[in-house]
Amino acid sequence: MGFVAAVVFAVCCWFSHGVAGQEEPIQTFVIPHSHMDVGWVYTIQESMHAYAANVYSSVTEELSKVKERRFIAVEQEFFRLWWDTVASDTQKKQVRQLIKEGRLEFIIGGQVMHDEAVTDLDDDILQMMEGHGFLYETFGVRPQFSWHVDPFGASATTPVLFALAGFNAHLISRIDYDLKDIMQKNKKLQFVWRGSPSLKSQQEIFTHTMDQFSYCTPSYLPFSNCSGFYWNGVALFPDPPKDGVYPNMSLPVTKETVHAYAKTMVENIKQRAAWFRTNHVLWPWGCDKQFYNSSVQFNNMDPLMKYINQNSKEFGVTVQYATLSEYFQTIYQSNLTWEVRGSEDFLPYSTEPYQAWTGFYASRNVLKGVARQASSRLYAAETLFTRYRISFPDGPVAKDWALDKLRALRWAVSEVQHHDGITGTESPKVADMYLQHLLQAMMGSMLASACLSDIEQTLEQHVIVYNPLAWNITTIVNVTVTQPSAAVFDDDGQPVPAQIQGSAHSNATYDLFIVVELGGLQYRKYLIKFPENSKAYEAKAVSFERRSVKDRAKAGRLLLPVLSECYELLFDQDTNLLHSITYLEEKRRVMITQDFWEYDANGDVKAGPISDNYIFSANGSAVRAYKAVEMEIIPGKIVTEIRQYFYREESDKDYAYSITTRVPECFGTKLPCHRLEQTYSLGPLSLNTEVVLRTSTSVKNNRTLYSDDNGYQMMKRTYRKFTNNTLARNYFPMVRTAYIEDDLSRLVLVSDRAHGVSSQTDGQLEVMLHRRLWNNLQWNLGYNLTLNDSSVVRPTLWMMLGSVSATSKLYQREAVQLQHRPVVMPIDQPRKCLPHTVPKRGSPLRSVVLPPNLHLLSLSIPGWNYCSNHSVHLNLHSQPDYDRILLRIMHLFEEGEDPELSKPVTINLKEALQGMGEVKGVEERSLTGTWDIASLQRWKWKTADNLEKDNKQQRRQDDDFTVTISPKEIRTFFVHFVSRNF
């Protein structure tokens, strides 16, 4: 069979490309690159020391020697570290010249090559903006192409963001193996992608899918037992060899070997060419950790390429060093008409029948949670610092110090978005590195950091509660205290509704719930006193005895109601489980039960498929994770709390899992009643266990669910049957939101971190919350990637139930409000601390409120020193610009999703921002701020439907502050305020 296949392939190549000399040779673009993971097996500093710094030092030297050579730089974190700490003045001068000549090209331009499945929209933009600002500030360049070769699947949000950033083409690689095979055979690896159903052609982008060889050069050499085309060998950790000679070198290119090398390379080029429509082949030269000794690389490839070109008529191939822009420019000039891909994504991702990469959606739950928390902290700190600078430009907070703290947190949040970072697919020491960077940066980021040290709780405590959103909110905040009674007062000395009760997770502390009302971007101060006679309602628990799963046959006899203005929840006293929820507005009851189930994972590669950091491959269906359940209900005047404890065995002393559900008592208040807040406790898990929260309902969803792409848009996930591994291949990422629905009802979950979700049976929504795995796969053991995660995790989900039309108005805002909850900042002595955190005058700050369908995506002072006029682009001043405010606004709704909220919104930015100060100028920019939108003209690719395309926004008049934001649009502005000096 192998011989027959080879003959068939040779014949196909003959007819595809003709006899040598009768057709134009295949034009091959050899793109030198090094894939450098910002984390994974080794820490960032270990990688810098072992190879990453050498990549840029040696590449700079080698490119400067020969004009034909090229290189693309992808991950900015490594380049920036090299530039700031390693590069000499001579090397910096060489880099600037190489960039000017177009021989060193920055691709993507973000801090990292971010993951696409479990990252949040906010953080994808941040890490890209962080890198783009540096590149524009330092070199005056703006990346226009992506190189997303290694993320584990491709979301539809990513191409939208790249288009908004001004990119002309997008490149992906990892998609389902069977889908890629079909696309190769049908020459459909290239297409125009319209990632957003609302934006359609407005933000379409040409997309190139790498073929089955992906981003690494083929390593097999038929004439040698050495790997091919990687002449500089394998990077050595922890230290590179002092003499610069690395082991495992490929066979050198000599007079004796050059023909065999050329024949191997040409055969691979022709094989790739058969899968694409044009006569131009992208041939990536490089792989992980390559080009740290690039003189060896280029000194072997130079004569090989020269030999092929000298014999191009015989080979039917020409080769040339190229950047990615040179390749895409040639494809663009081919002027072909391309097929259009709609808003569907390429998730989940599988490499083989039993290799579904859906486990990483839930790997390292703690890291996922801390990363999201750090992002939220950064968002709040950015808006608070921006407001402070506008109102008090000469205030006591040192602006350079504050910007340094913000930049540290920007860097930490950016780097963890790496596709082996937030995914949880890294080694334990790298996960610890990410956590350390995040926690240290969070501690230093808040402008009130001088007041955030551990506070000795005396007879009173002061807190500031800050709302970082541009919406008015009424909500409940929870302050942990050590006293059993308390009274709360606002900054006018008036008592505030509050409730105190024992903590669900600690016998030594108490939960103090406070009702707060805050305008957009407002803070308020509260005084907590701890008198013997509390003015806060003291809620007491009512306990229900432990129930065995053996008693489930009795279920439904004794139902206990818990009421709010929106819902009636019924709990079954025979099982201590939720029984049903009625959403009262339509008086419709939905049967709902929630409990925990476990998938058993195989740890022996000889026994079958395994689960690991990346892959989910269950031994079979999930089994119930408990034998008995206890319940406590704490009725309150502000919130009623239901605590359910799940025990592995009926006689166990300690519970394995828990659900804490908070139902707001909102009668006669402004508190939102549609939100049921749930927090879970899981762990430590048994080894080779993957735990899911299973919500089983009477909703007839036919195993179809919806989950979000990066918090930006919802994707329909239709259950599919496969020959193998159907269970795992029907898991999908949930970054913020997932729901199931039928004609009458929709059940929505919004999350504080990423998880995996599935609907394995009708009416079921299953969320994978935690995983602990070990296996004996040698590759995993060698790199310590077995995920023996013994942590206890406490993720949060908010649940909503209602009609499709009612929940459509809610879930986007709820997801945002869960992400950006009010920030509670304890302060020890206001008279000492307050001047360093918030201004005394004008307290509370005037609110800034956007319409309900618009979200303030960013409000920050980037601090870049470049001029926004590209004709100047490098400002002569070396100081950061503290007067340039970056404002980014997003329309939350899809086109046609809601009769009112999906309409375009016209706002006057001067009026909308008057609560912060007087706006004197607005200029619209690209997503990351480096392009003036009026001058941004992206390539327009021909498509079969010939839709009218306008990738250029209308230039606004200088005195016009009015903008219209359409469904799913994200618009970015530089805003300048009238200076206020006191």
Side-chain angles (χ1 to χ4, degrees):
M1 286 297 291
F3 175 77
V4 172
V7 171
V8 170
F9 176 73
V11 171
C12 289
C13 285
W14 180 278
F15 283 105
S16 295
H17 305 293
V19 179
Q22 291 185 351
E23 285 190 359
E24 287 294 316
I26 299 168
Q27 186 180 12
T28 309
F29 295 79
V30 176
I31 300 181
H33 74 99
S34 181
H35 184 70
M36 296 187 278
D37 289 308
V38 181
W40 183 40
V41 176
Y42 304 103
T43 67
I44 291 166
Q45 288 304 321
E46 285 176 328
S47 294
M48 278 293 292
H49 178 67
Y51 78 95
N54 284 350
V55 169
Y56 290 113
S57 293
S58 65
V59 163
T60 299
E61 181 180 353
E62 292 306 312
L63 293 189
S64 299
K65 291 178 180 178
V66 180
K67 290 288 186 182
E68 289 73 26
R69 292 172 176 173
R70 303 285 191 273
F71 193 80
I72 62 169
V74 181
E75 296 85 2
Q76 281 307 299
E77 177 148 345
F78 283 131
F79 180 83
R80 292 177 70 177
L81 287 170
W82 175 78
W83 183 263
D84 290 339
T85 64
V86 177
S88 66
D89 290 341
T90 299
Q91 288 171 327
K92 289 183 177 182
K93 184 177 179 181
Q94 289 173 323
V95 166
R96 293 186 188 279
Q97 183 62 31
L98 292 169
I99 293 170
K100 184 178 179 180
E101 296 172 1
R103 299 198 291 115
L104 175 63
E105 183 172 76
F106 293 102
I107 302 300
I108 305 177
Q111 282 291 91
V112 298
M113 186 186 298
H114 71 260
D115 172 66
E116 298 194 41
V118 299
T119 52
D120 187 87
L121 168 79
D122 296 6
D123 306 323
D124 290 344
I125 296 172
L126 169 72
Q127 69 85 26
M128 188 159 51
M129 186 175 74
E130 185 72 6
H132 285 197
F134 164 77
L135 289 174
Y136 195 57
E137 181 178 75
T138 310
F139 306 113
V141 300
R142 298 172 288 199
Q144 297 179 49
F145 305 96
S146 84
W147 182 262
H148 259 225
V149 297
D150 204 30
F152 320 134
S155 84
T157 298
T158 302
V160 174
L161 298 183
F162 286 162
L164 288 167
F167 284 25
N168 286 314
H170 177 37
L171 186 147
I172 63 175
S173 183
R174 291 186 181 268
I175 64 172
D176 263 4
Y177 69 98
D178 43 6
L179 176 59
K180 179 173 284 193
D181 184 56
I182 293 170
M183 293 170 71
Q184 283 185 171
K185 289 176 180 176
N186 296 316
K187 295 189 176 184
K188 293 188 175 182
L189 290 170
Q190 295 172 320
F191 49 88
V192 170
W193 198 351
R194 293 179 185 154
S196 165
S198 294
L199 299 178
K200 301 182 179 69
S201 63
Q202 180 187 355
Q203 299 301 337
E204 69 185 17
I205 192 168
F206 180 81
T207 303
H208 172 102
T209 311
M210 282 191 158
D211 56 48
Q212 67 189 39
F213 294 103
S214 192
Y215 64 90
C216 289
T217 310
S219 59
Y220 172 67
L221 293 179
F223 56 91
S224 170
N225 61 0
C226 296
S227 294
F229 308 103
Y230 303 139
W231 291 281
N232 63 188
V234 177
L236 295 179
F237 288 83
D239 297 305
K242 293 181 179 179
D243 59 5
V245 178
Y246 291 77
N248 301 321
M249 304 288 280
S250 295
L251 200 65
V253 175
T254 63
K255 291 182 180 179
E256 292 73 28
T257 62
V258 67
H259 183 77
Y261 261 117
K263 184 179 177 183
T264 300
M265 185 173 177
V266 166
E267 286 177 352
N268 182 259
I269 289 168
K270 288 184 174 180
Q271 185 178 3
R272 291 174 185 257
W275 297 326
F276 293 91
R277 293 179 60 197
T278 73
N279 210 32
H280 315 293
V281 171
L282 186 160
W283 204 77
W285 176 35
C287 197
D288 293 37
K289 309 178 190 70
Q290 289 295 312
F291 283 88
Y292 49 82
N293 193 356
S294 60
S295 63
V296 181
Q297 290 281 73
F298 283 113
N299 288 337
N300 280 277
M301 183 60 85
D302 286 353
L304 173 57
M305 292 175 60
K306 181 179 179 181
Y307 181 83
I308 292 174
N309 287 334
Q310 288 174 340
N311 298 278
S312 61
K313 289 186 177 180
E314 174 191 343
F315 288 126
V317 167
T318 64
V319 292
Q320 66 187 72
Y321 289 126
T323 59
L324 191 59
S325 65
E326 290 173 312
Y327 170 74
F328 277 127
Q329 182 75 45
T330 303
I331 299 300
Y332 181 62
Q333 291 172 349
S334 69
N335 209 28
L336 293 177
T337 299
W338 301 97
E339 287 193 1
V340 171
R341 182 179 180 86
S343 59
E344 63 271 23
D345 60 16
F346 290 96
L347 293 165
Y349 163 61
S350 295
T351 51
E352 296 176 25
Y354 286 98
Q355 303 249 320
W357 293 43
T358 57
F360 77 89
Y361 302 158
S363 295
R364 299 203 188 281
N365 183 283
V366 170
L367 177 61
K368 285 177 167 65
V370 172
R372 190 76 68 85
Q373 182 186 1
S375 174
S376 178
R377 177 68 60 87
L378 175 62
Y379 178 88
E382 297 273 25
T383 58
L384 196 56
F385 178 57
T386 301
R387 293 214 66 170
Y388 183 87
R389 280 290 308 162
I390 294 169
S391 299
F392 295 89
D394 299 319
V397 174
K399 58 181 183 295
D400 293 338
W401 170 84
L403 185 60
D404 284 344
K405 298 298 183 183
L406 288 172
R407 282 175 165 169
L409 187 50
R410 291 172 191 169
W411 190 295
V413 173
S414 294
E415 73 180 11
V416 79
Q417 307 312 315
H418 169 58
H419 57 270
D420 280 305
I422 198 167
T423 54
T425 55
E426 66 275 15
S427 66
K429 70 176 178 181
V430 175
D432 291 343
M433 175 203 72
Y434 288 130
L435 285 169
Q436 181 184 18
H437 290 177
L438 290 165
L439 293 170
Q440 286 178 345
M442 276 196 286
M443 287 296 293
S445 70
M446 297 304 290
L447 303 182
S449 59
C451 310
L452 288 176
S453 56
D454 290 339
I455 298 166
E456 183 178 346
Q457 201 167 96
T458 56
L459 294 179
E460 62 179 39
Q461 180 178 344
H462 301 267
V463 298
I464 292 174
V465 182
Y466 174 62
N467 170 24
L469 295 171
W471 298 325
N472 295 331
I473 63 168
T474 301
T475 190
I476 301 168
V477 299
N478 182 9
V479 179
T480 300
V481 297
T482 58
Q483 304 295 326
S485 60
V488 183
F489 303 89
D490 63 19
D491 43 14
D492 293 324
Q494 297 300 310
V496 175
Q499 172 181 320
I500 195 167
Q501 62 194 46
S503 170
H505 302 296
S506 169
N507 293 327
T509 60
Y510 299 85
D511 291 329
L512 177 62
F513 297 108
I514 306 170
V515 177
V516 298
E517 292 188 48
L518 293 166
L521 304 185
Q522 268 192 343
Y523 71 88
R524 295 199 74 172
K525 301 186 296 293
Y526 294 90
L527 170 63
I528 304 171
K529 292 186 176 181
F530 301 99
E532 292 184 3
N533 298 319
S534 171
K535 292 189 178 181
Y537 177 79
E538 296 184 27
K540 303 296 183 182
V542 178
S543 298
F544 297 82
E545 66 179 83
R546 189 176 302 189
R547 295 295 189 181
S548 169
V549 295
K550 298 174 184 176
D551 299 329
R552 293 178 73 90
K554 305 175 183 177
R557 299 181 309 165
L558 299 171
L559 301 179
L560 180 68
V562 176
L563 282 169
S564 73
E565 277 190 271
C566 290
Y567 304 118
E568 180 188 52
L569 287 75
L570 294 179
F571 288 87
D572 193 327
Q573 295 182 60
D574 288 316
T575 63
N576 286 332
L577 297 176
L578 181 62
H579 170 272
S580 61
I581 300 177
T582 301
Y583 52 101
L584 299 175
E585 184 174 354
E586 298 188 24
K587 297 182 174 58
R588 184 167 292 125
R589 176 181 289 188
V590 176
M591 308 303 292
I592 295 182
T593 300
Q594 288 185 305
D595 55 2
F596 295 99
W597 294 67
E598 294 176 347
Y599 287 102
D600 175 55
N602 170 44
D604 184 1
V605 294
K606 296 180 181 178
I610 60 163
S611 285
D612 64 9
N613 288 30
Y614 307 86
I615 295 164
F616 172 40
S617 183
N619 272 347
S621 300
V623 297
R624 189 175 285 109
Y626 61 95
K627 296 283 183 65
V629 185
E630 283 182 2
M631 181 169 65
E632 286 182 328
I633 296 182
I634 302 97
K637 291 186 176 180
I638 291 177
V639 63
T640 291
E641 191 168 89
I642 302 98
R643 301 172 182 174
Q644 296 163 289
Y645 305 100
F646 296 77
Y647 295 83
R648 292 188 185 280
E649 302 294 336
E650 292 183 41
S651 59
D652 281 356
K653 179 181 178 182
D654 298 319
Y655 61 87
Y657 310 110
S658 72
I659 303 174
T660 300
T661 304
R662 289 173 180 163
V663 182
E665 294 291 321
C666 21
F667 297 98
T669 72
K670 297 179 182 178
L671 280 173
C673 64
H674 51 262
R675 177 193 305 165
L676 300 171
E677 302 183 8
Q678 293 192 315
T679 302
Y680 316 92
S681 176
L682 306 93
L685 305 183
S686 302
L687 201 58
N688 285 332
T689 298
E690 305 179 69
V691 180
V692 299
L693 171 75
R694 182 172 285 179
T695 304
S696 303
T697 77
S698 55
V699 174
K700 305 298 182 184
N701 72 314
N702 194 30
R703 296 191 290 192
T704 295
L705 66 89
Y706 295 79
S707 71
D708 66 312
D709 255 18
N710 310 108
Y712 176 67
Q713 57 191 352
M714 299 303 295
M715 309 298 292
K716 185 176 182 178
R717 312 295 193 182
T718 304
Y719 187 89
R720 296 171 60 198
K721 291 185 178 180
F722 299 90
T723 304
N724 301 299
N725 216 19
T726 292
L727 192 157
R729 292 187 77 174
N730 278 288
Y731 252 84
F732 303 92
M734 168 194 183
V735 176
R736 288 188 188 177
T737 311
Y739 61 76
I740 58 174
E741 67 182 21
D742 57 20
D743 293 339
L744 299 176
S745 304
R746 177 188 282 170
L747 175 73
V748 183
L749 297 178
V750 296
S751 177
D752 71 339
R753 67 197 71 183
H755 303 289
V757 290
S758 186
S759 181
Q760 296 289 334
T761 62
D762 193 31
Q764 195 177 89
L765 185 56
E766 185 172 288
V767 183
M768 186 176 289
L769 296 176
H770 199 13
R771 317 173 74 219
R772 184 182 182 185
L773 304 165
W774 185 92
N775 62 73
N776 58 7
L777 181 66
Q778 197 57 46
W779 188 84
N780 280 336
L781 293 176
Y783 289 124
N784 196 10
L785 297 173
T786 57
L787 197 66
N788 189 5
D789 184 353
S790 60
S791 60
V792 176
V793 303
R794 292 190 173 92
T796 294
L797 295 175
W798 290 356
M799 180 166 60
M800 288 165 284
L801 180 68
S803 65
V804 171
S805 61
T807 54
S808 291
K809 299 177 188 296
L810 298 171
Y811 74 85
Q812 296 96 331
R813 284 173 60 93
E814 288 300 304
V816 171
Q817 290 191 72
L818 175 55
Q819 168 79 350
H820 299 298
R821 284 168 282 187
V823 178
V824 180
M825 298 177 285
I827 55 177
D828 52 2
Q829 295 182 37
R831 61 182 179 276
K832 292 182 180 179
C833 203
L834 193 56
H836 296 283
T837 56
V838 291
K840 290 181 179 178
R841 281 191 275 178
S843 178
L845 298 173
R846 293 176 64 191
S847 63
V848 176
V849 181
L850 293 178
N853 44 5
L854 297 185
H855 168 43
L856 182 67
L857 201 59
S858 303
L859 180 71
S860 66
I861 298 174
W864 301 316
N865 62 21
Y866 66 73
C867 178
S868 60
N869 183 344
H870 184 63
S871 63
V872 180
H873 70 230
L874 286 179
N875 197 335
L876 298 177
H877 300 94
S878 60
Q879 295 301 314
D881 185 346
Y882 288 95
D883 297 323
R884 177 166 44 199
I885 310 300
L886 185 138
L887 170 71
R888 191 178 289 116
I889 298 176
M890 173 183 170
H891 196 302
L892 288 174
F893 286 78
E894 293 283 3
E895 189 176 77
E897 186 174 14
D898 183 85
E900 290 300 319
L901 295 172
S902 289
K903 291 180 179 178
V905 184
T906 299
I907 60 171
N908 184 294
L909 293 177
K910 190 167 188 174
E911 294 176 358
L913 301 175
Q914 63 184 349
M916 290 195 295
E918 183 182 352
V919 174
K920 68 177 181 180
V922 173
E923 51 182 313
E924 186 162 6
R925 309 294 293 184
S926 60
L927 182 70
T928 58
T930 55
W931 289 90
D932 180 340
I933 204 71
S935 64
L936 176 57
Q937 298 185 42
R938 298 191 304 116
W939 295 351
K940 298 178 182 179
W941 297 79
K942 281 188 175 182
T943 55
D945 56 9
N946 290 315
L947 286 182
E948 289 294 323
K949 307 175 185 69
D950 182 10
N951 292 325
K952 183 178 177 182
Q953 297 285 350
Q954 294 294 317
R955 179 184 289 273
R956 69 182 68 254
Q957 299 298 315
D958 291 340
D959 59 350
D960 185 3
F961 298 96
T962 300
V963 297
T964 298
I965 304 176
S966 298
K968 283 300 170 187
E969 272 197 326
I970 300 173
R971 308 240 342 232
T972 304
F973 307 91
F974 285 161
V975 180
H976 296 270
F977 287 82
V978 174
S979 178
R980 295 175 61 185
N981 295 298
F982 298 90

